[in-house]
Amino acid sequence: DGMEGTRVAIIVHGGAWAIPNTLRPRCLDGVQRAARAGYAALRAGKSAMDAVVAAIHVLEDDPAFDAGTGSVLNAAGKVEMDAMIMDGSTLRSGAVAAVEGVKHPISLARLVMEKTPHCLLVGEGARIFADECGVPRVPAEELVTSEAQAEFAVFQAKYQNAVDQLFNKSEADAEESTIGHDTVGAVAIDINGNIVCGTSTGGITGKRVGRVGDSPLIGMGGYADGRAGGCSVTGHGESIMRTLLASRVVANMEAGAVPDQAAYKALVNMFERVGGRGGAICINARGEVGHWGTTEGMAWASAEGCDEEPRLAAGVDNEEGYRSVGPA
């Protein structure tokens, strides 16, 4: 088929947080399905851009993940979503933030990149743009799951601070309250060696209306540079923003660090500087994949190879990474 011997790869994540044991099998299944979908696109000769979107669609449609369907509710009990995508070959990017009523925010982000001169559209402006592009409006309730509603009720009753609850807590707490979720993301390299990253999220339960975290922001929630590599991150958004996590991972790869090490160094830096935990997935310019996380759990899966059937790897436990940055 003219593609024999051409290596392609994709790695995806389903968020780094204290994933309750009850949700782990669903998360593991979801990220593996997403990685397979992305790999199938790459094997069919499609671009890394198409592969990242295909993989993230699987995660946005899976209610186990906080993106698209299954997004968490903000302080007003509504879903506001954020997403970004970036093309490492041209450094073009597109993003949306605080957008409502869209089934696949990642696709809307791609439209921002392809159909406007801009990088980021927010709120009502993003929704108007979606209408102009013929993206159907999805009734809010279609994106809301019973889990998200239950979590919101728990949040209202108990916590003023969902952020600490999610990213900086112990397993015992996680079992007691499944407040949670986080971002989804993907990074892919295609047969032409192009690298693309994408990130999509519903944010944090009970977040202030209009709060935007790292996910849709270039260099924070994701970054791709074809000369160095690509990265999508997840975790405590404000910590990620303050340390430019994704661009730091890519800079580490550019400086010669292998992907795992590049992610590890950037995450250790984030913990040491601002006390935040998170996770990262990345691919370098040679097509090598890596990941690291400093939260208790991070669902991830990678699919790479030259054949019809990929070499698949996946995980959800994060014991080593969690312990790599000292006591919680």
Side-chain angles (χ1 to χ4, degrees), residues 33-48:
R33 280 188 293 107
R36 280 189 176 277
Y39 186 82
L42 293 167
R43 288 307 311 155
K46 291 191 172 166
S47 67

Side-chain angles (χ1 to χ4, degrees), residues 3-321:
M3 283 194 46
E4 281 317 306
T6 310
R7 223 177 131 281
V8 295
I10 184 164
I11 182 165
V12 305
H13 71 73
W17 56 293
I19 306 170
N21 288 337
T22 49
L23 200 52
R24 289 187 173 204
R26 279 172 65 193
C27 287
L28 203 51
D29 171 65
V31 288
Q32 289 178 91
R33 280 188 293 107
R36 280 189 176 277
Y39 186 82
L42 293 167
R43 288 307 311 155
K46 291 191 172 166
S47 67
M49 182 73 59
D50 290 333
V52 162
V53 170
I56 290 180
H57 275 194
V58 171
L59 299 171
E60 286 177 335
D61 285 344
D62 188 330
F65 301 100
D66 171 22
T69 305
S71 287
V72 297
L73 306 183
N74 66 12
K78 288 185 157 176
V79 167
E80 285 186 334
M81 298 166 292
D82 311 319
M84 65 80 67
I85 197 158
M86 183 168 185
D87 183 342
S89 58
T90 59
L91 301 186
R92 292 184 69 209
S93 63
V96 291
V99 68
E100 298 182 37
V102 180
K103 194 166 167 59
H104 294 125
I106 194 71
S107 289
L108 188 56
R110 181 179 184 171
L111 286 168
V112 171
M113 184 186 79
E114 291 177 343
K115 294 196 185 303
T116 81
H118 310 305
C119 292
L120 173 64
L121 292 177
V122 307
E124 186 55 25
R127 187 54 265 183
I128 291 166
F129 172 69
D131 291 340
E132 287 171 11
C133 292
V135 176
R137 280 183 183 251
V138 183
E141 55 274 16
E142 262 186 49
L143 300 173
V144 176
T145 58
S146 54
E147 285 104 327
Q149 286 173 313
E151 206 168 280
F152 181 61
V154 169
F155 169 80
Q156 282 186 308
K158 275 183 89 166
Y159 297 105
Q160 288 317 301
N161 193 344
V163 173
D164 285 348
Q165 183 50 19
L166 275 181
F167 301 108
N168 309 322
K169 63 188 234 178
S170 70
E171 190 61 46
D173 294 337
E175 290 307 321
E176 172 209 344
S177 147
T178 58
I179 284 256
H181 311 319
D182 187 42
T183 314
V184 306
V187 185
I189 186 166
D190 60 29
I191 51 171
N192 297 314
N194 290 339
I195 298 172
V196 171
C197 71
T199 306
S200 182
T201 191
I204 298 173
T205 294
K207 66 185 180 181
R208 183 179 283 275
V209 174
R211 177 265 189 189
V212 177
D214 65 288
S215 300
L217 303 178
I218 310 309
M220 301 180 198
Y223 195 72
D225 178 348
R227 295 177 185 178
C231 172
S232 170
V233 307
T234 161
H236 180 218
E238 283 71 15
S239 297
I240 292 168
M241 293 161 89
R242 289 153 68 194
T243 55
L244 292 174
L245 185 61
S247 64
R248 190 175 276 263
V249 173
V250 173
N252 289 345
M253 291 192 289
E254 191 167 28
V258 296
D260 284 351
Q261 186 71 14
Y264 166 78
K265 285 167 72 171
L267 284 158
V268 167
N269 172 73
M270 181 169 90
F271 187 81
E272 287 175 350
R273 295 299 302 278
V274 298
R277 293 176 182 268
I281 54 171
C282 46
I283 298 181
N284 67 13
R286 292 191 297 279
E288 296 164 333
V289 304
H291 66 92
W292 194 262
T294 50
T295 52
E296 281 169 89
M298 178 167 87
W300 65 275
S302 62
E304 50 185 320
C306 314
D307 309 312
E308 206 56 44
E309 273 302 303
R311 193 162 83 247
L312 265 178
V316 70
D317 292 309
N318 217 17
E319 196 61 35
E320 186 192 356

